[in-house]
Amino acid sequence: MTALPSTLRWLIIALLAVATLMLARQSHAQDRVTAADVANAVRNSPHASPWLRANADAVGNLAMFESGGRLGIYNGSCCFGVLQLNTQNVKEFAKVEPAVFQTWSLQQQVDAWSKLTTQMLATKPPASLVALGKFDGRTVDGNLVLSCVQLGVGNCQTMINSGKCTGFADINGTTICTMADKMTGGSSGPAPSPGSPPIAGTGTSYNPSWTPSSCVRDGSGGCMSMNAAIAAGFQSGSGISMAKLRSINQMLLVVVTLLVVGSAMLGVWQRYARGVIATADLLLYMKRGLIVVCMVFVVMSLF
């Protein structure tokens, strides 16, 4: 049997590498961790500040709110991973593309998030919030400070300037205060001081007086994000989650693409082995096949 040219072997290896990355990302999307796992990762992160380590349990609760503990999750619009880094921050702080970030381990994702958050905690809005001690009738605790950073320090400053929790709300109607409450089931903790950061999660209860009109209630009566509500409704009606259906569809597309392109490449190779086409034509057809496969994978990574 005629040996494969070295260029063709490298094309096949590259094709298999791309396919392996896509399959790894899809399988990793369903991997889950607990709040305790996230907290331990924060404590072990070389990029976490002393304040973050002291509030590691609150970060674990934040991860459950943001992603349900799923490592490979994509929220459908901007953000990836267990602590939902957006595309720009993934590239800046993780130094990889989002598709690769989705395959990372918990510790790797937390390290990137800790690097970003440690920098953001050193900015003016979180410091201003801590200095207030109380905000809109509630004690400023670690949960509120983390929510201030997680929803954006610029948005946090907007809230502070307004003097009310309702001074900022994201597209789903989530305010910084309601995110903090969700992290601990509705409780806020003692005010942190710059010299001795607290461990959040204890103290007086707080019930926000404002509820967005578009709020969708979950089984416990709390507000769900619009994405979560749509996903829950789809799963209830179809018996399968949107994420799982998406993974199945992408896996099928990968298989079909590999079968079609592989069959075409095999046909070209057989013609080359019979002497029907020249080596230059063989390499040209193989490169075209690889380009088609790569284009399919790039489009899949965008959705």
Side-chain angles (χ1 to χ4, degrees), residues 22-194:
M22 294 297 299
L23 293 174
R25 189 187 71 173
Q26 293 305 317
S27 62
H28 199 62
Q30 301 305 317
D31 290 350
R32 289 196 149 191
V33 295
T34 65
D37 294 332
V38 176
N40 287 332
V42 172
R43 296 185 185 100
N44 293 328
S45 176
H47 306 301
S49 65
W51 191 94
L52 272 182
R53 291 193 180 97
N55 287 273
D57 290 332
V59 178
N61 293 335
L62 173 64
M64 297 304 103
F65 173 84
E66 287 282 49
S67 67
R70 287 169 288 185
L71 293 175
I73 192 173
Y74 168 57
N75 73 347
S77 61
C78 68
C79 304
F80 304 84
V82 70
L83 283 159
Q84 291 290 278
L85 282 179
N86 65 34
T87 301
Q88 179 181 345
N89 287 332
V90 167
K91 293 180 178 180
E92 182 176 351
F93 291 91
K95 307 297 184 184
V96 296
E97 292 299 316
V100 176
F101 183 76
Q102 287 178 273
T103 69
W104 272 16
S105 68
L106 171 62
Q107 190 63 59
Q108 289 175 304
Q109 290 191 12
V110 167
D111 285 348
W113 179 88
S114 296
K115 188 184 299 183
L116 164 67
T117 304
T118 294
Q119 291 186 19
M120 293 300 102
L121 284 168
T123 60
K124 180 181 176 181
S128 299
L129 190 59
V130 169
L132 291 173
K134 284 186 176 291
F135 179 77
D136 198 9
R138 65 179 292 146
T139 300
V140 176
D141 68 349
N143 298 310
L144 193 63
V145 174
L146 277 173
S147 299
C148 163
V149 173
Q150 189 72 4
L151 283 178
V153 292
N155 298 326
C156 183
Q157 188 62 56
T158 297
M159 178 193 75
I160 294 172
N161 292 341
S162 75
K164 297 180 180 180
C165 289
T166 55
F168 166 78
D170 68 10
I171 192 172
N172 296 317
T174 302
T175 69
I176 292 169
C177 294
T178 54
M179 173 179 275
D181 291 329
K182 274 287 189 179
M183 287 164 59
T184 54
S187 64
S188 60
S193 63

Side-chain angles (χ1 to χ4, degrees), residues 125-299:
S128 299
L129 190 59
V130 169
L132 291 173
K134 284 186 176 291
F135 179 77
D136 198 9
R138 65 179 292 146
T139 300
V140 176
D141 68 349
N143 298 310
L144 193 63
V145 174
L146 277 173
S147 299
C148 163
V149 173
Q150 189 72 4
L151 283 178
V153 292
N155 298 326
C156 183
Q157 188 62 56
T158 297
M159 178 193 75
I160 294 172
N161 292 341
S162 75
K164 297 180 180 180
C165 289
T166 55
F168 166 78
D170 68 10
I171 192 172
N172 296 317
T174 302
T175 69
I176 292 169
C177 294
T178 54
M179 173 179 275
D181 291 329
K182 274 287 189 179
M183 287 164 59
T184 54
S187 64
S188 60
S193 63
S196 179
I199 296 178
T202 60
T204 58
S205 62
Y206 168 71
N207 295 312
S209 59
W210 175 83
T211 302
S213 59
S214 59
C215 175
V216 179
R217 301 287 179 179
D218 59 20
S220 62
C223 283
M224 300 173 67
S225 70
M226 191 59 65
N227 286 340
I230 292 173
F234 182 86
Q235 183 167 357
S236 176
S238 65
I240 185 173
S241 68
M242 294 178 70
K244 187 173 182 179
L245 180 62
R246 177 173 176 268
S247 297
I248 292 173
N249 288 337
Q250 290 189 333
M251 290 286 288
L252 288 175
L253 182 57
V254 169
V255 172
V256 170
T257 300
L258 293 178
L259 286 175
V260 172
V261 176
S263 176
M265 286 184 173
L266 179 60
V268 171
W269 172 252
Q270 289 174 342
R271 294 182 64 194
Y272 170 75
R274 294 197 303 269
V276 177
I277 60 174
T279 301
D281 292 327
L282 170 68
L283 296 179
L284 177 62
Y285 290 134
M286 293 299 179
K287 288 178 181 178
R288 287 177 177 175
L290 181 61
I291 290 173
V292 170
V293 173
C294 290
M295 288 178 63
V296 170
F297 285 150
V298 168
V299 171

